[in-house]
Amino acid sequence: EIRVIVNSETVDDDMTFILCKKISEKIREELFLAGIKLIKEHGIQKTTVDKLTRSCGIAKGSFYLFYSSKEEYLYALMQYVNEKTEGMIQRKLAGRTQMTAKEFFELFREYLFSDYDLMNSIDIDDFLWMKQHMKEYHLFDPSRQKDQLKQWLTLICDVRPDVDYGTVVNLMKSIYAMWTFRETFVQASFENSVQMILKTLEAYVTGNELSLL
């Protein structure tokens, strides 16, 4: 039984734990949402602890009760967006174990333009900063990227047997390269250009390249 003693303004240990946990979860959620917004607006390098805490309305010292550094926070943020992305995948599957390549690349397009794809907001300076400060992140390890892609492709029911994972990884990364230099592209045709790459990926993954002719 949990009792709140109003007059003495004290609570039982269990209630204190529950309240502290809920407050902590709320602050973490606010930090993650603020981080997503700031990274979309300013990039990763310019998203500082000061900006995060001001955005959330908490003291800077409170940030360090949760994370020892900006880098540790970013790893946690990546985990957060990965969990949200997994939710997108499960909703697309709708109880199934696999989907078609068409469905998968529709989902990938939705992800690209969602809040949860942070990589489409980074520039060259961000990339170099992450490479120096977040060496464990798989963005910089092609072998890990291929392993991750293999897991993704298990979700697709019509993958060609001889698919080359490196080709798919490189085509996907070409989209992010486009985003990095987006200002140099014809803006009115940018989303259509991304869609063309996704169509190329779908055709290649299914072995239906002739559909592009």
Side-chain angles (χ1 to χ4, degrees), residues 33-47:
L33 294 177
I36 290 170
K37 184 174 185 294
L38 288 168
I39 288 171
K40 293 287 184 181
E41 292 176 355
H42 306 290
I44 287 178
Q45 192 173 6
K46 293 179 181 177
T47 295

Side-chain angles (χ1 to χ4, degrees), residues 130-172:
M130 292 178 69
K131 193 170 184 179
Q132 179 181 357
H133 295 273
M134 302 180 69
K135 295 179 181 179
E136 296 179 10
Y137 193 54
H138 65 78
L139 180 69
F140 314 109
D141 186 345
S143 63
R144 288 184 62 187
Q145 292 168 356
K146 286 175 66 175
D147 289 341
Q148 185 179 52
L149 177 70
K150 289 177 184 178
Q151 294 180 357
W152 287 349
L153 294 191
T154 61
L155 299 172
I156 302 176
C157 61
D158 50 348
V159 177
R160 64 193 292 173
D162 61 342
V163 66
D164 179 72
Y165 299 108
T167 297
V168 180
V169 167
N170 287 340
L171 282 171
M172 286 182 163

Side-chain angles (χ1 to χ4, degrees), residues 1 5 10 31 64-65 72 74 86 91-92 104 107 111 124 137 143 148 166-167 170 176-177 182 193 200 209:
E1 180 183 359
I5 306 173
T10 62
L31 284 169
Y64 293 103
L65 296 174
E72 184 182 352
L74 287 172
E86 179 62 25
R91 286 192 293 275
K92 191 72 170 181
F104 178 85
L107 173 63
Y111 167 73
I124 291 296
Y137 193 54
S143 63
Q148 185 179 52
T167 297
N170 287 340
Y176 292 102
R182 182 168 182 167
S193 300
T200 300
E209 293 98 322

Side-chain angles (χ1 to χ4, degrees), residues 12-210:
D12 284 354
D13 288 345
D14 287 348
M15 176 63 85
T16 302
F17 174 78
I18 291 170
L19 289 173
C20 288
K21 185 177 180 182
K22 286 184 176 179
I23 292 170
S24 295
E25 289 174 351
K26 184 175 185 298
I27 293 173
R28 286 182 191 275
E29 181 80 10
E30 289 178 353
L31 284 169
F32 289 149
L33 294 177
I36 290 170
K37 184 174 185 294
L38 288 168
I39 288 171
K40 293 287 184 181
E41 292 176 355
H42 306 290
I44 287 178
Q45 192 173 6
K46 293 179 181 177
T47 295
T48 63
V49 173
D50 280 335
K51 286 178 180 176
L52 281 167
T53 52
R54 282 202 304 269
S55 181
C56 294
I58 64 173
K60 185 175 179 179
S62 299
F63 174 89
Y64 293 103
L65 296 174
F66 296 92
Y67 306 104
S68 62
S69 64
K70 173 182 170 179
E71 290 83 353
E72 184 182 352
Y73 162 78
L74 287 172
Y75 280 118
L77 177 60
M78 297 301 178
Q79 180 62 37
Y80 173 82
V81 297
N82 285 344
E83 290 171 1
K84 295 298 183 181
T85 303
E86 179 62 25
M88 293 174 65
I89 292 171
Q90 293 306 317
R91 286 192 293 275
K92 191 72 170 181
L93 286 169
R96 300 171 295 166
T97 58
Q98 289 186 310
M99 65 183 85
T100 65
K102 183 176 186 297
E103 290 176 301
F104 178 85
F105 287 108
E106 287 174 350
L107 173 63
F108 187 53
R109 184 185 187 284
E110 180 185 347
Y111 167 73
L112 286 171
F113 290 94
S114 75
D115 288 338
Y116 306 128
D117 187 0
L118 300 181
M119 292 301 100
N120 64 19
S121 303
I122 70 172
D123 58 18
I124 291 296
D125 289 337
D126 286 329
F127 181 85
L128 294 175
W129 184 91
M130 292 178 69
K131 193 170 184 179
Q132 179 181 357
H133 295 273
M134 302 180 69
K135 295 179 181 179
E136 296 179 10
Y137 193 54
H138 65 78
L139 180 69
F140 314 109
D141 186 345
S143 63
R144 288 184 62 187
Q145 292 168 356
K146 286 175 66 175
D147 289 341
Q148 185 179 52
L149 177 70
K150 289 177 184 178
Q151 294 180 357
W152 287 349
L153 294 191
T154 61
L155 299 172
I156 302 176
C157 61
D158 50 348
V159 177
R160 64 193 292 173
D162 61 342
V163 66
D164 179 72
Y165 299 108
T167 297
V168 180
V169 167
N170 287 340
L171 282 171
M172 286 182 163
K173 290 175 77 171
S174 72
I175 295 174
Y176 292 102
M178 287 174 59
W179 242 295
T180 300
F181 298 101
R182 182 168 182 167
E183 292 182 0
T184 68
F185 285 79
V186 178
Q187 297 304 303
S189 302
F190 187 84
E191 289 191 23
N192 188 54
S193 300
V194 171
Q195 186 63 28
M196 286 299 298
I197 296 176
L198 293 175
K199 286 291 186 184
T200 300
L201 277 162
E202 179 188 339
Y204 173 72
V205 164
T206 57
N208 193 28
E209 293 98 322
L210 291 177

